[in-house]
Amino acid sequence: MTFLIYLIFRNNCFLPFAPCFFCFLFCSLSACTNQESALAPKLFQSLNPSTTKVDFINQLNEDESFNIIQYLYYYNGGGVAAGDLNNDGLPDLYFTANQLPNKLYLNKGNLQFEDTTEKAGVAGKGLWKTGVAMADVNGDGWLDIYVCQVGDYKSIKGRNELFINNGDLTFTESAAAYGIDFQGFSTQAAFFDYDGDGDLDLYLLNHSVHASENYSDSGIRQRRDPLSGDRLYRNEGGKFTDVSEKAGIYGSRIGYGLGVAVGDLNDDGCPDLYISNDFHDNDYLYYNNCDGTFREAITASIGHTTTFSMGSDVADFNNDERLDLLTLDMKPEDAFVLKSSVGADPYNIYKFKLSFGYHYQYPRNMLQLNLGKPKGYETQFAEIGQLAGVEQLPAHFAPRQRRKSVRYWRPGDDRIGRRPANAGVANHTGIPVFGRAGADVWVGHGCGC
């Protein structure tokens, strides 16, 4: 090919044949590129449910009494958790279905699973299930299962359920006995030891529904609500006690909680919380005071946040030994979808919200780079989502970053590089289908609202 180009230029016979030459060159290069793409190894491959035996479907049956008009999060999806429930070294899968029974799939090895839902007794009750988390709640060395639900809303009834692992692949529902059979608008749960006493406490993330009284100045977040508003439960010898108000946790009806992330963001040795809130209220950044209480400091640490905040995750993506933060919104990357979707607030409404005490918010994904804690200030973050190339993606809900990394940046590129493996137990809300965003950040696709 190189010799042919040389002869054409050498003999001044290039111009008459230029169109044909470039057409030939383009087709040749395209063929090579397509052939290389076809031969390139794929990172993942889709396995047929008939092979894996994982045949879960979150089937929704709309009717006039309950649908997207009646409940704004109707299409948010259920939840999925992965964890080793029988201590055989293999991660098992538990899916929550909004309207149908939940499903437990026991990992038999070699990507083969067995539906043991009925035998294990974990199908669950309630009419609308949302998120699920796996954790060793009672500290006996066996993972338990906690299922969040919507209860006491229109025709929907139900309470959160806790399935205690009996150690023989059967479970006993014990939420009431542990004091965490909450009835309301639950989204997801995070078990973590916030007070450092060696047992797992519970942060219960709740959402809300639209009502005229939700639209007010930011002072309304001080009013606690029995169905909406988050809860913090302290584990006191196997019984959980609601310490939300005492610990400084907001519990109002304007908290549309869709994501919770736990990590030590200010390097003081105590786990902090980042709460993703949909709609007009701020996200909440709770710094652990290491004395059983928290202080909320989103405006002191972060200049601006996502508007319709969904999933979030914390991880040290640039290996500087500080935990960074990723939050997801709904800005699409497809130009047609972008221009035909609702975008940012008009400027007059934007200023109106600011005057009512709400923080600066923009509807796109945000990657908050942890800059450390200057003396006399809270930890500072720089938002670099656009610089990193992750500010807009298809509709998504749950991000997952890497905890341990070899390399995060592509050589010669300012976009995030490499998708790392998850560490430990994964649990989140959102439809359990994953897609690639850039190369390092993975997101669970779903519908925000």
Side-chain angles (χ1 to χ4, degrees):
M1 178 66 73
T2 304
F3 182 67
L4 176 61
I5 295 174
Y6 169 76
L7 289 179
I8 290 174
F9 277 97
R10 174 76 181 268
N11 294 285
N12 296 319
C13 57
F14 172 70
L15 291 178
F17 301 101
C20 296
F21 170 75
F22 280 111
C23 181
F24 167 75
L25 182 62
F26 175 77
C27 292
S28 299
L29 294 176
S30 297
C32 293
T33 302
N34 292 336
Q35 186 177 10
E36 290 176 0
S37 299
L39 296 176
K42 295 181 179 179
L43 188 61
F44 291 100
Q45 70 179 77
S46 177
L47 299 179
N48 195 297
S50 62
T51 301
T52 63
K53 307 303 180 184
V54 178
D55 54 1
F56 172 83
I57 298 176
N58 186 32
Q59 183 68 47
L60 297 178
N61 300 302
E62 299 176 84
D63 57 34
E64 293 182 356
S65 65
F66 202 67
N67 50 57
I68 186 63
I69 304 301
Q70 302 293 329
Y71 176 55
L72 68 108
Y73 291 125
Y74 188 86
Y75 290 115
N76 269 22
V80 58
D84 183 5
L85 294 171
N86 58 346
N87 291 342
D88 65 351
L90 300 172
D92 309 302
L93 302 175
Y94 185 90
F95 295 90
T96 57
N98 293 133
Q99 296 177 318
L100 301 176
N102 304 323
K103 291 283 188 179
L104 172 61
Y105 294 93
L106 185 67
N107 194 333
K108 310 297 287 185
N110 197 31
L111 294 176
Q112 303 291 309
F113 292 82
E114 177 188 355
D115 183 348
T116 60
T117 308
E118 186 174 350
K119 186 187 305 181
V122 293
K125 299 178 181 178
L127 300 179
W128 193 268
K129 285 85 67 181
T130 52
V132 55
M134 289 183 182
D136 185 8
V137 176
N138 57 358
D140 64 353
W142 299 87
L143 284 180
D144 309 302
I145 303 171
Y146 188 71
V147 177
C148 291
Q149 304 194 31
V150 172
D152 200 18
Y153 176 66
K154 296 185 182 292
S155 60
I156 298 301
K157 303 297 178 184
R159 289 182 175 273
N160 293 356
E161 295 179 298
L162 172 63
F163 296 102
I164 293 295
N165 195 329
N166 298 322
D168 58 0
L169 290 178
T170 66
F171 295 77
T172 302
E173 202 291 303
S174 308
Y178 281 78
I180 49 178
D181 58 333
F182 178 81
Q183 184 177 39
F185 294 103
S186 288
T187 304
Q188 178 61 319
F191 288 91
F192 70 118
D193 185 11
Y194 83 90
D195 53 2
D197 64 353
D199 55 25
L200 292 179
D201 309 297
L202 168 64
Y203 189 94
L204 182 60
L205 180 74
N206 295 325
H207 60 278
S208 186
V209 291
H210 292 326
S212 58
E213 53 266 37
N214 288 18
Y215 300 96
S216 181
D217 63 71
S218 60
I220 194 176
R221 73 167 68 102
Q222 302 293 340
R223 305 177 195 168
R224 309 200 72 80
D225 186 85
L227 299 179
S228 302
D230 300 346
R231 304 287 192 275
L232 177 66
Y233 293 92
R234 186 175 187 271
N235 189 338
E236 299 179 345
K239 184 77 173 182
F240 287 82
T241 302
D242 186 348
V243 295
S244 310
E245 190 168 7
K246 181 181 178 181
I249 302 298
Y250 292 136
S252 78
R253 63 183 307 146
I254 63 170
Y256 292 80
L258 294 183
V260 52
V262 181
D264 185 9
L265 296 170
N266 59 355
D267 294 323
D268 64 355
C270 300
D272 308 307
L273 293 162
Y274 189 92
I275 309 304
S276 301
N277 280 319
D278 203 353
F279 301 112
H280 54 282
D281 197 15
N282 301 345
D283 290 356
Y284 304 146
L285 175 54
Y286 292 112
Y287 286 116
N288 195 329
N289 295 320
C290 303
D291 61 359
T293 66
F294 291 81
R295 65 186 183 279
E296 201 288 313
I298 188 78
T299 58
S301 286
I302 295 178
H304 55 270
T305 67
T306 44
T307 304
F308 309 104
S309 303
M310 297 186 189
S312 59
D313 193 28
V314 293
D316 177 14
F317 79 89
N318 62 343
N319 287 337
D320 65 352
E321 298 186 357
R322 300 190 188 107
L323 289 179
D324 310 297
L325 175 69
L326 174 68
T327 60
L328 300 184
D329 207 298
M330 295 191 298
K331 183 179 180 181
E333 60 182 352
D334 182 87
F336 179 82
V337 177
L338 177 64
K339 290 177 172 56
S340 58
S341 302
V342 175
D345 289 327
Y347 187 65
N348 62 324
I349 296 179
Y350 174 78
K351 294 289 288 183
F352 185 74
K353 289 181 178 179
L354 291 179
S355 71
F356 265 47
Y358 297 106
H359 197 31
Y360 300 97
Q361 302 176 51
Y362 305 98
R364 59 178 174 82
N365 300 338
M366 297 204 177
L367 180 61
Q368 305 282 357
L369 175 65
N370 191 330
L371 302 178
K373 188 179 185 303
K375 186 176 181 179
Y377 295 88
E378 298 287 5
T379 299
Q380 299 297 298
F381 291 85
E383 201 282 299
I384 61 168
Q386 291 176 306
L387 176 65
V390 296
E391 80 282 3
Q392 58 186 59
L393 301 164
H396 43 261
F397 212 118
R400 182 63 60 187
Q401 298 184 76
R402 182 178 190 167
R403 267 49 176 188
K404 297 179 181 179
S405 171
V406 177
R407 176 176 60 85
Y408 283 96
W409 300 92
R410 281 198 209 102
D413 195 348
D414 61 356
R415 293 175 64 92
I416 293 177
R418 291 195 66 178
R419 189 293 190 219
N422 295 340
V425 177
N427 56 80
H428 55 81
T429 58
I431 298 174
V433 178
F434 291 85
R436 193 167 189 172
D440 184 43
V441 180
W442 284 60
V443 296
H445 290 262
C447 177
C449 55

